[in-house]
Amino acid sequence: MKFSSVLNTATSALAVGVAFLAVPAFAQSTGSVDFEEDAIIVTGLRAEDVAGLEIPATPKAKQVLTAEQIQRARPGQTINDIINLVPGVSFQNNDPWGSMGGGFTIRGFGADRVSQTLDGLPLNDSGNYALYTNQQVDTEILESVNVNLGVTDVDSPTASASGGTVNIRTRTPGDDFGLFTTMTIGDVLTPGSYSDSLYTRAFGMIDTGDFTGIGTKAFVSASYQNYGVPYNPYGRVDKTQLNARLYQDLGSNGDFVSVAGHWNQNRNNFAGSENVNTLLGYYDDEFSKRDRYTVYTADGQFPYPCSLPEGTVVGGGGTPDKDDFYNDSSSSGDCGAPFYRRYNPSDTGNIRGSSRFTLADGLLLTVDPSYQYVKANGGGPDGIYEGFYETGGQQYTGAFNGRYYFGRDLNGDGDTLDVVGGNDPSQTRTDRLGVIANLIWEINDDHRVRVAYTWDRARHRQTGQITPMLANGEPSDVFAIDNALLDLNGEEVNKRDRLSWAILHQVSGEYRGTFGDFTAVLGLRAPFFTRRLNQNCYTTSISGYVDCPAPGQDMTAYEEANPDHARPQSRKYTYDKLLPNVGFTYNFLPTASVFANYAKGLSVPGTDPLYDSLYLPDGDFARPVPETTDSFDVGFRYREGGLTAQLAGWYTQYKNRLASAFDPNANNGDGATVYRNLGTVDKWGIDGSIAYQPTRNSLIYIFGSYNDSEIKDDVVSADGVVATAGNMESGSPNYSYGARGQIAFGALELGAQVKRTGKRWLDDENTTRVPSYTLVDFDARLVIGEGPTGGDVALQLNLTNLFDEYYVGYFGGSLNGESFAQIGAPRAGSLALSVGF
């Protein structure tokens, strides 16, 4: 029997997964998909699908997981955890279920240097390029995910992709009407875990089939999940997601138009984090795995539920002493001191268009417009002052020196002497528009060219409204912007107030030529980036600290008393670069080929560190140049029958490395820690994988990678020179390897996988190494009957971290300081019932 996933129980009704398409999709935009796939068909280089594992025969080192493998993972799991099967990828999940976030690297490059896309839509944050893995699309609607190791497509709208791209592609709606649903329940299976950690999830999807008679079809899906956070005794995830796609064929030549939509509403606390050095201390013999659940407080007691002291609730009356609640204005006692109480809510959505039109014989036009919306924040409890901030003989309301002043009686006791409970998350709202257009000319069967235009425009609004804390320690609204506390003049108090624009105009071109068994690809990207910053607060230090007065006040006295503070201002940055991309494949045997690729990459400074530089006069110190990379891949592929294999060596040199470091010449020669270029870093490694089906009912998959790096220069810090030259970059493992096996016995399918992740340096000084760890996962699927209209009814069991390995989760590394991380996700199990109609 052919391996299938839980989702494939409804294949006749839903026609899901890449296994049901004539040609797999490897690239990002519609134009890149069409350009790449047609060449694969013409040259006969199509990779064989080995139980949902594919190695595309392109000049770039790639690996693809199709729906057949994706659906074997736990329902609701983030796609970034699933691609841990790809060599070179390292992901540390913050929890077993996938909605609390995590961190990952590809070939040693962090997520802010990896571009992740959904049907060509960029998913990285437009300001700092961060990736939020807890906000990814439901895996049941996916046909494939493709990992480009080290390079990106020429029309990609990315500002930072030195480490590669992750391309997620959604399924095409089925031709026939059908229904599919999955119900999942699970829990943490370790001693000492909390009783409220139960995981529940429901998913449903409807395919309309052709409902117009002219090929119009659609699918609509919805999911809901809820669970307790493993290491946070009062943290919960409450997540709702909606997805839809409308698809219209235009004739029989492959032309189409499509519109897809996505909405994700996530309510969760931070997972909780601890200093990595503290977590390393728990590896000794006296630490038991049960202790993982109490390491975040000295006595293991969690103040939940709690109540605020009398008089510290907005509108609550009472006569508190100012020091009863906030001894140092930064601690919030039982109701707020633990990091757990910080919320991280998000509302994210997008609309994705895609289309393909044949303008003439051999001439194609593809257009992919998109819109994204993000509303999210992160933060927690803090004290809010009833009085005024005084400087230069004047009184002000607003945020000053990390405190919030409202100038009015907040608790109702008749004076303005108190500090009451509040919440001060950092609020972000993003509106992002984009379009990718490709004009493709098929000169003949062996030669194709395309030109592309890419436009991406993100409006990034960042504020910091304050909302009251309720008597039980909870915020009045997890979105403080929706219930902002006002000062005596009816104005909002914000801890930050800025507006950014991230704009990209890009033209690109690509040629693909086939000369017998030799195929060459020549590409060129020409991106033009603009960053517009509008800072409405006073920047008080090079570290980015700000004072934000409430609107409508005369700031003359403040400015005279603080002449070193940078005034509110606007600044514009522009970056451009020509980025060539060339490669080839050569089939020296019908079953074997070699490939090579060179690509120049670019990482433009993000808006967050650029805001810090507003403290400095506009000049060299405030304008770091972009980070550039030169990446080389060379490899070997073999495919025959049920065997496919790839071995690739790579080398990347990135110049003008961007990071925060001390510069003795900045700040008029006084020195300052600024975001600047630190020199050159060399990175290199090897990736490999083998997938083999000894029989049509079994699979053996082996993968592994090794990577190393060398920092070429020492770095100057405020405390002196940091000896980084010759060291490896911190935060990423130097090796990983693993395997997966699958076998089917009639209606029962079993699978297991293991992955060993190597040691990671804690900092660039290479003083401390975080130990390696091994994770083992198990999955099983049993078809127990037939659905009402022919689809299967099946049970799927997933066990993750089977042997309950204790390990340090993701940390980004540091120059010479300490890092924070979550404890690795504990053992957990889930059981899913799926029904296809």
Side-chain angles (χ1 to χ4, degrees):
M1 112 181 237
K2 175 179 172 59
F3 273 102
S4 59
S5 65
V6 170
L7 187 56
N8 296 147
T9 61
T11 56
S12 60
L14 299 180
V16 296
V18 77
F20 308 102
L21 302 179
V23 180
F26 298 146
Q28 300 177 39
S29 68
T30 302
S32 291
V33 169
D34 189 272
F35 193 79
E36 188 169 271
E37 288 180 351
D38 187 81
I40 290 172
I41 294 171
V42 170
T43 59
L45 297 176
R46 186 185 308 172
E48 296 294 330
D49 177 356
V50 178
L53 300 163
E54 297 183 6
I55 299 176
T58 70
K60 303 171 183 177
K62 296 185 179 184
Q63 188 145 337
V64 176
L65 303 182
T66 72
E68 188 173 347
Q69 277 298 324
I70 294 172
Q71 306 310 328
R72 292 181 180 275
R74 172 174 289 126
Q77 186 59 267
T78 174
I79 191 65
N80 295 86
D81 187 83
I82 298 171
I83 63 174
N84 243 336
L85 286 170
V86 175
V89 175
S90 180
F91 179 73
Q92 287 81 35
N93 214 343
N94 286 348
D95 74 331
W97 320 110
S99 293
M100 284 299 299
F104 81 112
T105 60
I106 295 181
R107 287 182 169 177
F109 289 94
D112 60 345
R113 288 180 171 92
V114 174
S115 173
Q116 187 151 312
T117 67
L118 175 64
D119 297 332
L121 178 88
L123 299 178
N124 297 70
D125 186 276
S126 60
N128 60 13
Y129 316 135
L131 182 67
Y132 303 103
T133 62
N134 63 329
Q135 299 171 9
Q136 302 304 303
V137 68
D138 283 335
T139 54
E140 287 95 338
I141 72 165
L142 299 183
E143 71 174 33
S144 67
V145 57
N146 159 37
V147 181
N148 286 9
L149 300 171
V151 292
T152 186
D153 294 331
V154 297
D155 63 352
S156 177
T158 177
S160 182
S162 305
T165 58
V166 177
N167 309 319
I168 305 166
R169 297 202 64 81
T170 55
R171 58 180 290 262
T172 300
D175 293 327
D176 302 311
F177 177 81
L179 303 174
F180 179 77
T181 183
T182 301
M183 305 292 290
T184 308
I185 187 169
D187 208 343
V188 173
L189 304 177
T190 63
S193 62
Y194 303 114
S195 59
D196 65 347
S197 60
L198 187 70
Y199 172 77
T200 58
R201 180 177 183 267
F203 172 86
M205 180 163 55
I206 302 173
D207 264 276
T208 66
D210 183 357
F211 63 91
T212 63
I214 59 172
T216 310
K217 52 189 178 181
F219 77 77
V220 178
S221 72
S223 68
Y224 174 76
Q225 66 178 225
N226 185 281
Y227 62 89
V229 178
Y231 299 125
N232 184 340
Y234 42 83
R236 296 203 65 81
V237 169
D238 191 276
K239 180 177 177 180
T240 302
Q241 186 172 134
L242 304 173
N243 289 284
R245 187 176 185 186
L246 178 67
Y247 189 94
Q248 175 66 62
D249 287 312
L250 302 176
S252 58
N253 59 357
D255 290 352
F256 70 95
V257 293
S258 171
V259 178
H262 167 77
W263 177 256
N264 189 84
Q265 180 177 287
N266 203 4
R267 299 293 181 266
N268 62 280
N269 301 79
F270 282 94
S273 66
E274 183 59 84
N275 188 289
V276 174
N277 285 310
T278 300
L279 297 182
L280 291 176
Y282 299 128
Y283 280 91
D284 61 40
D285 293 337
E286 297 180 2
F287 177 74
S288 71
K289 293 178 181 178
R290 182 185 296 271
D291 294 331
R292 287 174 293 179
Y293 298 94
T294 58
V295 298
Y296 294 120
T297 60
D299 57 2
Q301 301 299 312
F302 299 101
Y304 182 81
C306 67
S307 59
L308 295 187
E310 181 185 7
T312 61
V313 180
V314 173
T319 55
D321 186 307
K322 182 176 181 178
D323 291 335
D324 281 348
F325 185 50
Y326 287 91
N327 293 328
D328 59 2
S329 81
S330 62
S331 170
S332 52
D334 285 349
C335 279
F339 186 71
Y340 320 108
R341 297 197 64 87
R342 297 176 178 269
Y343 283 85
N344 189 204
S346 61
D347 291 342
T348 59
N350 61 65
I351 300 173
R352 312 181 304 279
S354 56
S355 59
R356 179 187 188 271
F357 306 98
T358 300
L359 304 181
D361 188 23
L363 187 63
L364 303 175
L365 173 67
T366 67
V367 182
D368 294 359
S370 63
Y371 167 72
Q372 290 187 75
Y373 170 81
V374 175
K375 178 183 179 182
N377 73 39
D382 210 334
I384 52 180
Y385 284 71
E386 294 183 328
F388 293 92
Y389 174 73
E390 297 187 7
T391 185
Q394 296 293 320
Q395 294 182 326
Y396 295 100
T397 60
F400 299 90
N401 294 333
R403 298 180 178 181
Y404 311 116
Y405 300 87
F406 285 80
R408 69 183 180 95
D409 181 12
L410 296 173
N411 61 4
D413 68 350
D415 61 46
T416 58
L417 303 175
D418 309 315
V419 181
V420 299
N423 287 267
D424 63 340
S426 299
Q427 179 72 40
T428 296
R429 173 169 171 167
T430 301
D431 292 278
R432 189 171 188 176
L433 293 167
V435 66
I436 304 173
N438 279 264
L439 187 63
I440 303 171
W441 178 31
E442 184 178 343
I443 302 171
N444 54 45
D445 287 346
D446 295 325
H447 301 278
R448 299 189 108 205
V449 295
R450 66 163 165 162
V451 293
Y453 171 72
T454 303
W455 176 68
D456 186 40
R457 175 182 178 272
R459 182 185 186 274
H460 206 59
R461 184 74 170 102
Q462 295 175 300
T463 55
Q465 290 87 352
I466 317 300
T467 196
M469 184 187 293
L470 303 178
N472 64 356
E474 293 294 306
S476 67
D477 195 307
V478 293
F479 283 111
I481 191 174
D482 293 339
N483 188 33
L485 196 61
L486 306 181
D487 71 358
L488 79 164
N489 297 314
E491 300 287 352
E492 289 183 353
V493 170
N494 277 277
K495 70 176 184 181
R496 65 175 184 176
D497 185 3
R498 62 198 198 191
L499 173 64
S500 312
W501 300 86
I503 303 170
L504 166 66
H505 293 277
Q506 177 177 276
V507 293
S508 55
E510 190 172 24
Y511 161 78
R512 184 185 299 269
T514 302
F515 308 89
D517 293 324
F518 183 86
T519 299
V521 178
L522 306 175
L524 182 67
R525 293 172 58 202
F528 299 87
F529 294 98
T530 300
R531 298 290 181 262
R532 294 178 179 171
L533 312 182
N534 297 277
Q535 175 62 274
N536 299 319
C537 301
Y538 291 83
T539 307
T540 63
S541 76
I542 188 60
S543 300
Y545 292 109
V546 294
D547 282 351
C548 295
Q553 302 178 91
D554 183 355
M555 301 305 299
T556 302
Y558 172 90
E559 293 175 356
E560 291 176 350
N562 301 278
D564 58 326
H565 293 179
R567 298 185 181 186
Q569 61 184 289
S570 298
R571 194 172 289 181
K572 178 181 177 181
Y573 299 81
T574 58
Y575 304 95
D576 58 82
K577 193 77 174 178
L578 290 177
L579 305 173
N581 187 325
V582 299
F584 73 86
T585 60
Y586 174 57
N587 284 18
F588 62 92
L589 291 174
T591 57
S593 64
V594 293
F595 66 94
N597 189 82
Y598 162 75
K600 180 172 280 293
L602 179 73
S603 288
V604 173
T607 56
D608 287 348
L610 290 179
Y611 270 109
D612 297 350
S613 68
L614 295 183
Y615 181 75
L616 302 175
D618 195 3
D620 292 341
F621 299 116
R623 290 183 176 269
V625 300
E627 180 181 281
T628 61
T629 57
D630 292 285
S631 298
F632 301 85
D633 280 275
V634 60
F636 167 81
R637 296 189 183 104
Y638 182 85
R639 59 193 186 281
E640 183 176 16
L643 175 66
T644 181
Q646 176 174 277
L647 183 66
W650 60 274
Y651 171 79
T652 297
Q653 180 182 77
Y654 67 104
K655 303 175 182 178
N656 296 314
R657 176 192 180 204
L658 288 167
S660 294
F662 185 80
D663 194 316
N665 299 312
N667 198 22
N668 296 320
D670 294 331
T673 299
V674 301
Y675 190 66
R676 66 183 184 91
N677 301 109
L678 300 185
T680 300
V681 178
D682 290 346
K683 301 169 74 78
W684 62 91
I686 188 169
D687 309 312
S689 66
I690 301 173
Y692 176 52
Q693 284 189 281
T695 68
R696 62 192 302 265
N697 297 333
S698 60
L699 168 70
I700 300 173
Y701 172 62
I702 301 172
F703 63 96
S705 64
Y706 169 82
N707 67 270
D708 202 348
S709 62
E710 182 181 359
I711 303 170
K712 294 296 186 179
D713 305 292
D714 289 333
V715 175
V716 178
S717 74
D719 298 322
V721 176
V722 181
T724 57
N727 293 346
M728 182 178 178
E729 285 189 303
S730 58
S732 63
N734 59 338
Y735 70 86
S736 65
Y737 59 86
R740 177 171 174 83
Q742 298 172 186
I743 192 166
F745 304 96
L748 177 64
E749 299 179 2
L750 303 176
Q753 61 196 44
V754 58
K755 182 170 183 179
R756 176 76 170 176
T757 299
K759 296 180 179 180
R760 294 165 284 169
W761 286 109
L762 179 61
D763 53 41
D764 289 349
E765 279 193 296
N766 290 183
T767 57
T768 304
R769 295 191 95 170
V770 175
S772 55
Y773 63 93
T774 302
L775 299 181
V776 178
D777 301 332
F778 173 80
D779 57 269
R781 174 181 175 268
L782 176 66
V783 177
I784 58 177
E786 186 174 291
T789 58
D792 287 342
V793 177
L795 287 173
Q796 178 167 313
L797 172 69
N798 288 93
L799 296 173
T800 51
N801 194 2
L802 187 63
F803 297 103
D804 197 25
E805 176 102 341
Y806 169 80
Y807 62 100
V808 176
Y810 176 77
F811 61 93
S814 62
L815 177 62
N816 62 338
E818 297 180 331
S819 294
F820 284 77
Q822 280 77 29
I823 297 177
R827 178 173 57 216
S830 63
L831 186 65
L833 172 66
S834 63
V835 182
F837 298 87

